[in-house]
Amino acid sequence: MGKYAIRRTLLFIPTLLVASILVFTLFWIVPGDPALTILGGGEGDSGAVSLEQLQQLRQALGLDRPIYVQYASWLGNVLRGDLGTSLWYKTPVWSQLKDRFLVTMELAVMAILLAVCSAVPLGVTSAVKQDTGLDYLSRIFSSIGIALPTFWLGILIVYALAYFFEWLPPLGYATLWDDPLLNLQQLILPALTLAFNDLAFTARVTRSSMLEVMREDYLRTARAKGLVELAVIGRHALKNALLPVMTVSGYQFARLLGGVIIVESIFVVPGMGTLLIESIIHRDFIVLQAIVLLIAAVVLILNLLIDLSYGVLDPRVRYQ
Amino acid sequence: MTGGVVEGPVPATRIESPTRGLTWTVVGGFARRKPLGAIGGLIVLALVATALLAPLISPYDPRQIIREANNRVPVYVAPGSAYLMGTDHVGRDIVSRVIHGARISLYVGLGAVLIGVTGWFLVGLASAYAGRLVDLVVQRIVDAMMAVPGLIIVLAIMAVLGSSLNNVIIAIVIGMLAPVVRTVRSQVLSVKETEYVVAARAIGARSARIILRHIMPNCLAIYLILATYYLGFAIILEASLSFLGVGVPPDVPSWGGMLTAAAQGHITKAPWAGIFPGLAIFIVVLGFNLLGDALRDVLEPRLRGARRGLMR
Amino acid sequence: MTRFRSLAALLLLMIGVAAAPAAAQTLSPEGQTFTFPWPPDWVARGKYQKMVLRGVTGFNPGQWDVHACGTLPDCLMPASPQFNGLVYHNPVNPDEIVCDLCESWTVSRDGKLYAFRLRQAQWHDGQPVTAEDIKFSLDRIVEPGAIRVRTGVLRSFYEHQSAQVVDARTIRVPIKFASPLFLQNLASEHMKMYPKHVAQNLSPEDAQKPGKLIGSGPWKLKEFKPNISIEYVRNTNYFKKGLPYFDGMVFTIVRDYNRRLAALQVGQAHTTEGPTIGSYGSEDPMRMQRETKGRVRALYIPDAVQNYLVLHMNKPPFQDARVRRAVLLAVDRHELVKIVRCAESFGCFGSVGTFLPNKGGKIVESPEDLAQAKGWRQPKDADIAEAKTLMAAAGYANGFKAMLSVANVPLTVRTTEVMAEQLRKSLGIDLTIEPVDRATHVDRIIRGTHHAFIDSSGVILLDPADYLNQHFLVVGGQKNPDSWKHPKLTEIMQAQARELDPAKRLRLLKEAVEILRGGESHVVPLAWGYSGGMMDYRLQNFHVPGSEQIVKHFEHIWWDPEAPLPRN
């Protein structure tokens, strides 16, 4: 297992490299560059920039160098631990990123916890009481969770709050250690919005996994032995059923980071999602590359941990 | 359906009946045992019917700005006798746009599934069955794509290709690569390691025969389930792309586009402009999911040895 | 006593002799002097409150040097409150240009020499504002080779390093030719004065960073937290005694439009950014006013932003002038405004697209003119018939397909949808509309990848000539990508810039419009839109300016907790 872990960790490097090259190339192809966004006008204000001025700024920013030179220079800096300076804000990337990263992680973790804590009981109940009214209700509920686009749910929540309760979470972000109450107030709604979607998936997986496990022979043995149903479920079935749930939650986390982007902009959470959108709009590819690296690293580490723990917890599984 | 797969709802005594009776009995049995799935199926049928009959049943051209008698343009008119679902921000009939939107949703969903699920399915299959090196390379690509937020990839693709329906499909297909390949691969791998296949190999059966007799039927089930889910997923992804500003052109009546246009103005001024397309998306995706659920319930017990369950 | 008196007399004589050379250099007595004593009467009415003004903004500033940048919401608006110009638009009467850092100015009779006398002011670090700083700032603005997107226009008036410092508080600025537009340009919010001792040590990149450049203005930048907020703190040493009337300002950055509206609705913010800007140029502020029963006050700048269509002339079909003319004729501007810019029970928030903005009290295109002009007159049957003939002559009797790019701004996209539908219906032109983000849009414009694009630009100067300058002065840039030129138009543009007689100038501008109405240029005006915003009713003394580019100091407004709720 140790060898497996080391081998997987070593595979990080080519994966991260591929990811960074992918993003770099993509943004090379996409029309527009940072010089255009800096000089070219914002909303309702079409700029009057001339080609000479654009060229001048491009040279100053180093954008007229060939792409492989720019990539190599960026890579060189990263290997020395320097994530670079934002082309838009002109401040070091790391200083912005570390604060935002914590915010997004806090939001994602909250969402996953909320989802799992409500999805597992829902899924288990649904499986145990299969094809009864309770099962149908919970399946409809989880189907709703999948069918409702996250951004629509978020907009509806903001609208409902403002119109029916005349209350909105306060503007201006506070970190968890500065002001926990304020922080929770600001994050609970986006976390719930994200959790709703995740809950649906997790409940569904729990249910199907539970159903499968419940059919297993060893449970029949346990029942035949005279064990009460609750004990059957609690002692034997649940443990095994939860393994796939854990795995799925890990993959869900990566997907959650996608939903975080939308939810952050609707609920005004200053996390990595809004930074990502900003850097795409501003074509600030230095910040973009840093974000991609960070997210990729997190996702890869998470996947590795899950795969390793799965191997530990389920002795039947063999590794490739 | 291929023999050896469907055993459930059809009682043994009915095997001699003519094919048409068999199909209806299968359907009827399915509906009786899985009412939710039947509802899902009905919804899907309604979607297909609406999409096919759109030009016949829609009262107006969906891109046409309605000009009434006294040169008045009905902007943001509430639902009523004149316009069943009201009108939108430039005076187009919402019913017509929702109906034609069914076409677009079906087109996007089918396109994404036929190209995406089929294509990546084959890739996943190949990756699980081909040699170590192929598998390693494919896995690295999948890992990299899962690690990069799909949003970036999709936004970049749309920005380069331009906003059109076909480009939306391409973007969705590429966004589907990682999850589909990964799921299919893990399913095939676990089937590969089951007792049947091991036993078959032990008695000397050739790979092709193993694939055909044991793996393919299971894969068909996996494919069907993935297809129904991703149809819904594609529709939601199209809506999200529109929300982020890189969907189809704004006058094309896609539900996602209509939802976005409603969300960009102040949503209280004409809630119907967002509610009806939102409801349409919701019902259709719900339908696909219910159908997929029911299909999986029926087919999954057949997926022998799939220990991890169908992870999505 | 006599000795003292004669000593005093001698002293006076010496002063007189010393002053004589200066007196000999004074401008001719027929030159006009404009003096602006401080304080004006409204200052005493202002109430200082120990509170922080809360606003919302949708933009993240990236540049803080207004000399170099050209964008409004992410550069000018956040930076402006820290600085003063030499002159500026009177915040309580925004059509009028008054002194900001100056105390008075004198114009020579031939109009080519301006002398400014400065007030006693100091920079945020305590150093006094001197004429050297003014000279430095003017030279920095016209610095050859530097990127000057908006301020570069001053180069056509002022020669680099030609200003003369007379003494610590007097400076003489010669301009190349007498023009009514020099002061208008100098009063722009981009023409801010920087301290020489700070700015001369900053590289262009450093100057763009927040807090590096300091000013003399009512607010000091306290902290900029990217994507969270922009915080200002009161300049307690502001040379305009008594101002500003708050302890600080905080603008929270909220990207989502609905969330910003909601923030004002529940009272989380007192004001929008600007406080007026194009994105609120619909009935939404009015709706908010109604729903909050007057607590939130709607503000509008009429006809502040123009939406227009630009046709690329570098390839067919719009290469053909007949096709361009057909499009100009066929667009139904009245219907466009009715659909996009009007709302039932609220009224209209835009007007039919004239070429030049009717600003600064000068009306070049009156409603009567428009009622008869081809392309603008109603009903449109005659114009559409002519357009069809032109299309047929050009070989497009059945229309054609083309690609149209537009920036992803909701109101602009709506305008595009309506225009496209009209052209499809009347001429068979099927436009594929591609909404994209700003960067992609500008890139497409410059490369000319599409056939046409829709854009919007705001009024900058309160002068009709502003339009001509924006679209036809810079050849081959964002606004005129295919370098369209018309020799007579160029002549007129140069002539009107020097014409001091208002009546003659108006006639020249009318001539320019006639040429443009010919439909040969790349620009097809569509509609003018309002710029909008919202403020809490207790904020007093804000007077809506004629353009969203002026009055950005927030120095003259105060909070009156006892203000009566206005009747709707």
Side-chain angles (χ1 to χ4, degrees):
Chain A
M1 205 220 2
K3 267 205 298 202
Y4 176 72
I6 292 174
R7 209 159 39 115
R8 277 290 295 272
T9 317
L10 282 178
L11 284 175
F12 271 14
I13 298 168
T15 314
L16 285 178
L17 214 60
V18 167
S20 75
I21 294 179
L22 183 69
V23 175
F24 211 88
T25 324
L26 274 176
F27 269 80
W28 194 250
I29 306 175
V30 163
D33 63 10
L36 278 174
T37 57
I38 291 173
L39 295 179
E43 188 194 297
D45 166 46
S46 179
V49 67
S50 70
L51 290 171
E52 297 80 47
Q53 289 169 334
L54 281 175
Q55 255 322 97
Q56 210 175 337
L57 189 58
R58 282 189 188 123
Q59 267 179 342
L61 293 174
L63 294 174
D64 54 344
R65 299 172 294 169
I67 176 178
Y68 48 88
V69 171
Q70 292 191 43
Y71 181 74
S73 135
W74 174 80
L75 194 62
N77 285 338
V78 167
L79 290 174
R80 263 174 290 160
D82 173 21
L83 282 175
T85 314
S86 159
L87 292 168
W88 179 260
Y89 293 109
K90 330 248 182 324
T91 49
V93 174
W94 180 240
S95 61
Q96 268 202 57
L97 207 55
K98 65 178 188 316
D99 296 326
R100 309 268 205 130
F101 177 68
L102 290 170
V103 172
T104 301
M105 284 300 130
E106 191 188 335
L107 181 59
V109 165
M110 263 176 88
I112 277 258
L113 283 177
L114 280 170
V116 167
C117 291
S118 33
V120 167
L122 199 67
V124 167
T125 327
S126 186
V128 167
K129 304 244 185 277
Q130 189 185 14
D131 286 333
T132 59
L134 207 59
D135 180 27
Y136 288 149
L137 270 177
S138 75
R139 274 160 65 188
I140 291 180
F141 182 70
S142 72
S143 289
I144 291 177
I146 299 179
L148 205 58
T150 317
F151 70 89
W152 194 230
L153 183 63
I155 292 177
L156 286 177
I157 290 180
V158 170
Y159 163 55
L161 281 177
Y163 272 85
F164 299 126
F165 300 101
E166 299 241 336
W167 178 86
L168 282 172
L171 293 174
Y173 184 74
T175 54
L176 193 58
W177 34 95
D178 276 346
D179 188 347
L181 195 63
L182 186 64
N183 176 271
L184 282 173
Q185 262 188 320
Q186 286 169 334
L187 288 187
I188 190 69
L189 285 171
L192 278 173
T193 312
L194 274 175
F196 194 57
N197 190 263
D198 187 35
L199 185 156
F201 282 119
T202 316
R204 176 194 299 270
V205 168
T206 314
R207 177 179 175 274
S208 77
S209 165
M210 216 27 214
L211 278 178
E212 198 186 292
V213 163
M214 282 194 338
R215 273 187 267 267
E216 292 289 330
D217 294 337
Y218 63 88
L219 283 188
R220 214 186 301 161
T221 318
R223 285 193 198 103
K225 270 194 343 193
L227 218 53
V228 146
E229 191 63 22
L230 194 65
V232 170
I233 297 170
R235 205 183 298 174
H236 297 280
L238 204 61
K239 232 185 338 173
N240 296 314
L242 284 186
L243 287 176
V245 175
M246 230 181 56
T247 324
V248 169
S249 288
Y251 298 146
Q252 272 297 102
F253 195 77
R255 281 184 53 171
L256 205 76
L257 290 178
V260 154
I261 291 172
I262 292 174
V263 153
E264 277 185 13
S265 56
I266 296 178
F267 289 96
V268 197
V269 175
M272 265 190 337
T274 38
L275 187 62
L276 185 64
I277 292 187
E278 285 265 325
S279 54
I280 292 177
I281 291 178
H282 294 143
R283 300 290 191 271
D284 191 350
F285 60 85
I286 302 224
V287 172
L288 198 65
Q289 289 284 99
I291 294 178
V292 166
L293 268 185
L294 201 54
I295 295 182
V298 165
V299 169
L300 286 175
I301 293 174
L302 202 64
N303 283 350
L304 177 64
L305 286 174
I306 290 172
D307 280 353
L308 285 178
S309 60
Y310 200 92
V312 160
L313 293 169
D314 185 354
R316 295 172 301 170
V317 173
R318 280 161 287 180
Y319 302 116
Q320 278 285 314
Chain B
M1 291 211 165
T2 51
V5 176
V6 177
E7 289 151 62
V10 181
T13 50
R14 284 278 212 165
I15 292 178
E16 300 91 6
S17 304
T19 323
R20 211 159 109 238
L22 188 72
T23 315
W24 278 118
T25 318
V26 167
V27 170
F30 178 77
R32 236 184 307 123
R33 272 188 48 178
K34 298 273 162 217
L36 283 187
I39 294 175
L42 276 174
I43 294 176
V44 171
L45 235 63
L47 173 73
V48 173
T50 314
L52 289 174
L53 298 172
L56 298 171
I57 50 177
S58 100
Y60 295 92
D61 178 294
R63 297 168 78 193
Q64 173 200 357
I65 295 177
I66 302 170
R67 291 168 178 92
E68 292 173 345
N70 52 349
N71 252 344
R72 180 174 165 267
V73 175
V75 171
Y76 273 152
V77 168
S81 48
Y83 311 103
L84 276 174
M85 291 186 185
T87 59
D88 72 357
H89 54 283
V90 290
R92 294 177 295 219
D93 176 41
I94 293 185
V95 175
S96 315
R97 285 175 74 76
V98 168
I99 290 175
H100 279 264
R103 283 201 154 178
I104 305 234
S105 295
L106 199 59
Y107 182 68
V108 167
L110 277 180
V113 162
L114 286 177
I115 303 174
V117 177
T118 316
W120 304 140
F121 188 90
L122 293 173
V123 169
L125 194 60
S127 173
Y129 241 90
R132 274 234 137 88
L133 192 60
V134 171
D135 191 34
L136 204 70
V137 168
V138 169
Q139 281 321 294
R140 293 291 69 72
I141 295 178
V142 167
D143 275 349
M145 288 204 59
M146 279 198 107
V148 173
L151 185 71
I152 300 180
I153 299 177
V154 161
L155 281 179
I157 294 171
M158 293 305 294
V160 171
L161 296 176
S163 32
S164 81
L165 209 47
N166 294 330
N167 295 337
V168 167
I169 293 179
I170 294 176
I172 294 176
V173 162
I174 296 183
M176 278 163 59
L177 188 162
V180 174
V181 168
R182 182 182 278 267
T183 309
V184 169
R185 178 182 170 272
S186 74
Q187 281 299 300
V188 173
L189 278 179
S190 50
V191 169
K192 211 171 133 187
E193 302 302 323
T194 63
E195 296 93 28
Y196 294 95
V197 177
V198 170
R201 254 200 250 130
I203 61 171
R206 279 164 44 245
S207 273
R209 190 180 158 78
I210 296 177
I211 292 181
L212 270 167
R213 279 301 309 282
H214 298 285
I215 301 198
M216 276 315 266
N218 286 329
C219 287
L220 205 65
I222 298 171
Y223 182 85
L224 276 174
I225 295 165
L226 282 177
T228 43
Y229 284 141
Y230 276 97
L231 266 164
F233 173 76
I235 294 177
I236 292 210
L237 196 55
E238 189 270 317
S240 304
L241 283 178
S242 293
F243 181 70
L244 293 162
V246 288
V248 294
D251 47 357
V252 169
S254 83
W255 292 339
M258 292 165 73
L259 205 59
T260 309
Q264 278 170 345
H266 196 200
I267 44 177
T268 54
K269 64 180 150 197
W272 58 87
I275 286 180
F276 289 113
L279 213 58
I281 292 179
F282 173 66
I283 292 176
V284 162
V285 175
L286 189 68
F288 278 118
N289 280 322
L290 288 176
L291 187 61
D293 264 357
L295 272 181
R296 195 180 54 186
D297 276 355
V298 166
L299 298 173
E300 192 160 55
R302 322 288 167 223
L303 296 176
R304 313 243 180 255
R307 296 195 185 283
R308 297 189 193 187
L310 197 68
M311 280 180 284
R312 288 192 58 252
Chain C
M1 213 47 191
T2 326
R3 219 185 307 166
F4 174 75
R5 233 186 266 159
S6 43
L7 202 62
L10 187 64
L11 224 60
L12 278 169
L13 193 61
M14 279 167 63
I15 293 173
V17 166
Q25 285 171 40
T26 45
L27 301 164
S28 76
E30 295 99 328
Q32 273 191 297
T33 304
F34 301 86
T35 323
F36 299 93
W38 188 267
D41 59 349
W42 54 266
V43 171
R45 280 186 282 124
K47 300 178 188 188
Y48 167 72
Q49 293 282 338
K50 207 161 177 38
M51 71 181 261
V52 169
L53 180 67
R54 288 193 306 269
V56 282
T57 172
F59 301 92
N60 249 311
Q63 304 167 83
W64 296 80
D65 177 6
V66 295
H67 287 179
C69 73
T71 55
L72 173 68
D74 44 24
C75 172
L76 182 62
M77 278 176 5
S80 193
Q82 308 166 76
F83 304 102
N84 296 99
L86 198 49
V87 295
Y88 74 153
H89 286 265
N90 187 351
V92 300
N93 180 17
D95 276 353
E96 186 195 0
I97 295 177
V98 301
C99 265
D100 197 3
L101 268 174
C102 69
E103 182 182 82
S104 67
W105 77 77
T106 309
V107 192
S108 69
R109 192 151 180 267
D110 63 359
K112 287 166 70 167
L113 185 66
Y114 284 74
F116 294 93
R117 177 127 181 96
L118 302 176
R119 277 197 231 280
Q120 302 256 34
Q122 47 281 337
W123 302 107
H124 289 161
D125 65 357
Q127 298 288 322
V129 176
T130 66
E132 282 292 336
D133 296 314
I134 309 296
K135 178 166 162 48
F136 169 81
S137 301
L138 288 173
D139 289 336
R140 189 177 190 275
I141 288 173
V142 300
E143 192 180 316
I147 296 176
R148 299 285 180 255
V149 182
R150 191 75 75 202
T151 51
V153 68
L154 205 66
R155 286 180 179 131
S156 51
F157 297 99
Y158 170 72
E159 185 72 47
H160 189 233
Q161 296 188 330
S162 61
Q164 297 167 295
V165 172
V166 174
D167 60 45
R169 289 174 59 193
T170 318
I171 182 169
R172 277 189 214 160
V173 181
I175 56 174
K176 296 179 190 174
F177 53 87
S179 172
L181 295 175
F182 170 63
L183 266 187
Q184 287 253 8
N185 276 295
L186 199 61
S188 153
E189 292 269 338
H190 282 276
M191 310 284 186
K192 292 287 202 272
M193 299 295 128
Y194 291 157
K196 179 175 178 181
H197 62 282
V198 172
Q200 69 185 353
N201 303 323
L202 290 173
S203 68
E205 294 77 40
D206 271 343
Q208 294 290 14
K209 297 185 185 165
K212 295 284 189 192
L213 281 165
I214 60 169
S216 53
W219 304 98
K220 297 187 201 182
L221 183 68
K222 180 173 168 203
E223 193 180 356
F224 168 52
K225 294 185 223 162
N227 222 250
I228 300 181
S229 62
I230 311 170
E231 282 184 59
Y232 306 87
V233 72
R234 183 177 197 259
N235 178 10
T236 45
N237 235 355
Y238 192 36
F239 66 94
K240 297 183 189 175
K241 292 274 172 284
L243 269 52
Y245 295 106
F246 296 98
D247 267 346
M249 300 198 293
V250 172
F251 280 86
T252 311
I253 299 173
V254 180
R255 293 191 55 87
D256 185 64
Y257 174 74
N258 275 296
R259 184 70 177 84
R260 289 202 296 277
L261 291 177
L264 270 128
Q265 185 181 8
V266 303
Q268 282 179 337
H270 302 131
T271 175
T272 47
E273 70 265 39
T276 51
I277 199 170
S279 44
Y280 303 108
S282 64
E283 80 277 14
D284 291 339
M286 282 293 284
R287 181 186 304 274
M288 282 286 107
Q289 186 171 299
R290 230 179 246 185
E291 280 175 14
T292 57
K293 303 205 179 28
R295 177 172 53 78
V296 167
R297 215 171 75 233
L299 308 166
Y300 290 104
I301 302 179
D303 299 348
V305 177
Q306 193 203 41
N307 286 132
Y308 52 92
L309 170 69
V310 175
L311 305 169
H312 273 296
M313 301 190 287
N314 55 355
K315 53 181 182 282
F318 297 115
Q319 202 170 34
D320 190 331
R322 289 171 294 192
V323 179
R324 297 202 294 273
R325 181 162 168 72
V327 171
L328 184 80
L329 289 173
V331 174
D332 188 345
R333 292 165 178 86
H334 288 88
E335 188 187 67
L336 192 68
V337 169
K338 209 170 51 176
I339 295 176
V340 181
R341 297 280 179 179
C342 295
E344 296 245 352
S345 86
F346 287 110
C348 290
F349 301 89
S351 66
V352 163
T354 57
F355 272 101
L356 311 187
N358 292 330
K359 291 280 174 188
K362 304 156 200 135
I363 299 181
V364 180
E365 297 166 75
S366 66
E368 294 76 39
D369 291 333
L370 293 178
Q372 307 197 359
K374 284 194 187 175
W376 277 259
R377 56 190 179 181
Q378 294 276 323
K380 288 206 70 72
D381 309 3
D383 287 337
I384 293 185
E386 188 181 336
K388 283 201 171 121
T389 321
L390 285 165
M391 290 281 283
Y396 298 109
N398 292 325
F400 52 80
K401 277 180 177 280
M403 302 281 287
L404 178 77
S405 178
V406 61
N408 221 335
V409 176
L411 282 171
T412 316
V413 172
R414 281 183 203 191
T415 310
T416 316
E417 286 184 83
V418 177
M419 182 207 76
E421 199 268 359
Q422 286 176 350
L423 289 175
R424 195 171 63 240
K425 195 178 69 141
S426 58
L427 298 179
I429 298 177
D430 192 359
L431 293 166
T432 306
I433 304 171
E434 294 209 347
V436 284
D437 65 5
R438 257 281 145 204
T440 314
H441 185 59
V442 176
D443 185 75
R444 284 173 173 180
I445 293 174
I446 291 182
R447 281 187 220 257
T449 53
H450 284 46
H451 296 105
F453 62 92
I454 299 265
D455 224 340
S456 59
S457 55
V459 171
I460 302 173
L461 299 184
L462 297 184
D463 192 282
D466 180 42
Y467 182 93
L468 294 174
N469 296 337
Q470 287 201 47
H471 291 276
F472 304 107
L473 201 63
V474 177
V475 168
Q478 205 175 327
K479 292 238 167 70
N480 191 355
D482 301 314
S483 308
W484 184 79
K485 273 203 273 245
H486 189 287
K488 188 85 176 90
L489 190 67
T490 318
E491 213 183 281
I492 293 177
M493 284 201 297
Q494 286 168 346
Q496 65 82 29
R498 291 158 209 269
E499 182 54 68
L500 298 169
D501 180 345
K504 282 196 200 149
R505 196 161 162 257
L506 209 61
R507 269 203 300 277
L508 282 171
L509 292 172
K510 278 194 199 276
E511 254 189 80
V513 173
E514 276 312 307
I515 296 176
L516 291 173
R517 288 223 190 106
E520 280 205 24
S521 81
H522 53 293
V523 181
V524 176
L526 297 175
W528 283 94
Y530 281 27
S531 200
M534 289 165 276
M535 258 190 177
D536 190 290
Y537 76 101
R538 286 161 286 193
L539 286 173
Q540 306 291 310
N541 205 30
F542 181 77
H543 302 265
V544 176
S547 138
E548 57 183 20
Q549 298 254 353
I550 55 179
V551 186
K552 297 276 167 245
H553 294 180
F554 284 97
E555 70 180 1
H556 60 292
I557 51 174
W558 64 80
W559 176 270
D560 184 358
E562 269 119 59
L565 200 63
R567 259 180 290 253
N568 255 354

